[in-house]
Amino acid sequence: MIEVIYILWLRQLKHYWRSKARLIGSLGQPLLFMVAFGFGFGPMYTRASGGANYMDFLAPGIVAMSILFTAIFSGLEVIWDRQFGFLKETLVAPISRTEIMLGKTFGGATIAIIQGLVVLCLTYLLGFRISSLSSLALGMTFMFLIAIFFTGLGLAIASMMKDMQGFQLIMNFLIMPIFFLSGALFPLENLPSAIYFISRIDPLTYGVDGMRGALAGISVFGIHNDFAIMFILSVLVCIIGAFLFSRVEA
């Protein structure tokens, strides 16, 4: 089982590494958000918060955004493999579909974490600093949970679809509300009650809050609560994804 998961994981990493344009191009949006929001809203945030640095607030949210986009679009791999026949070859192999699902999930999550670490390094150029190695380790734990959850979600949705364009439309419909309502760009305090309620049921909210608490010491719900919620949701989405993937027809 471990060997199967490793081979599928390694395949996705090699595919990602060989696509240099994908690696470089995926940095454009995080950089744009950091520069535009960091320098545009930074002075207003500083005045409103009594002198706090907006980049300390913004950087974990942008890292989470990078992981979100990379992870959830890992589902395209399933549709791509189906169209080119690789999925059929994989499904007829003497291995369980759960192993295939886990291999693809860990592969997509690893790529998302690498992307998040690259963006985290870029935040240093804009003044963001992490206080200690233990904070970095805890932040990477939340990065892993975010990556696992949204990779599993992307694969679960992709397992029910055969059209690549339809998948992209659905993902775009989901991604933007998930990101903008997670508190990645603005504090959740003093929001209208309806928006605050939606933010509370947004899974990314707890990932962003936990990562921000670990890396910058700013947390609304508490790091332990964030970890528990993200862990439960990650396990749950993997179980659902494995069930849906077991019904895939190549």
Side-chain angles (χ1 to χ4, degrees):
M1 178 178 178
I2 295 177
E3 185 177 1
V4 171
I5 294 174
Y6 170 74
I7 293 299
L8 292 171
W9 171 84
L10 185 62
R11 173 181 177 264
Q12 286 193 257
L13 258 66
K14 287 184 175 181
H15 186 254
Y16 170 73
W17 180 250
R18 290 169 182 169
S19 179
K20 297 297 191 297
R22 174 185 173 189
L23 193 156
I24 297 173
S26 57
L27 299 177
Q29 192 172 40
L31 277 173
L32 175 62
F33 272 82
M34 280 192 292
V35 172
F37 283 88
F39 292 104
F41 292 154
M44 290 186 289
Y45 178 87
T46 300
R47 288 195 298 269
S49 60
N53 185 1
Y54 183 53
M55 188 54 63
D56 291 340
F57 180 89
L58 179 66
I62 298 301
V63 173
M65 179 196 78
S66 177
I67 296 173
L68 164 68
F69 278 67
T70 305
I72 205 163
F73 275 104
S74 296
L76 281 174
E77 294 276 350
V78 175
I79 300 176
W80 187 270
D81 288 346
R82 178 187 279 122
Q83 291 185 353
F84 286 89
F86 181 81
L87 182 62
K88 181 180 293 185
E89 296 177 1
T90 306
L91 293 178
V92 298
I95 55 177
S96 74
R97 296 192 175 191
T98 300
E99 294 171 2
I100 299 173
M101 173 66 181
L102 289 175
K104 288 183 173 295
T105 300
F106 284 124
T110 303
I111 292 170
I113 292 171
I114 293 172
Q115 199 73 38
L117 288 173
V118 172
V119 173
L120 183 61
C121 292
L122 292 176
T123 63
Y124 264 59
L125 300 177
L126 298 176
F128 178 69
R129 296 293 183 268
I130 301 174
S131 59
S132 64
L133 290 177
S134 60
S135 297
L136 177 61
L138 185 57
M140 289 186 64
T141 300
F142 280 99
M143 290 169 65
F144 174 77
L145 291 175
I146 294 171
I148 287 291
F149 176 82
F150 286 105
T151 302
L153 179 63
L155 291 172
I157 295 174
S159 66
M160 299 184 292
M161 304 186 68
K162 296 183 179 180
D163 180 55
M164 192 173 296
Q165 288 74 26
F167 175 82
Q168 291 177 324
L169 288 173
I170 290 178
M171 288 299 97
N172 286 327
F173 178 76
L174 289 175
I175 282 178
M176 300 315 291
I178 287 174
F179 170 59
F180 281 109
L181 295 173
S182 66
L185 302 178
F186 51 82
L188 296 177
E189 296 89 344
N190 301 320
L191 288 176
S193 56
I195 302 298
Y196 182 75
F197 173 77
I198 297 174
S199 296
R200 288 300 301 267
I201 61 176
D202 181 351
L204 187 61
T205 298
Y206 302 97
V208 170
D209 188 66
M211 193 188 308
R212 187 176 285 138
L215 299 179
I218 305 170
S219 179
V220 176
F221 308 114
I223 294 179
H224 294 92
N225 293 331
D226 294 327
F227 177 82
I229 292 172
M230 286 303 301
F231 180 80
I232 293 171
L233 290 176
S234 298
V235 172
L236 184 61
V237 80
C238 285
I239 293 173
I240 295 173
F243 170 74
L244 293 175
F245 197 81
S246 67
R247 302 163 64 92
V248 168
E249 295 181 2

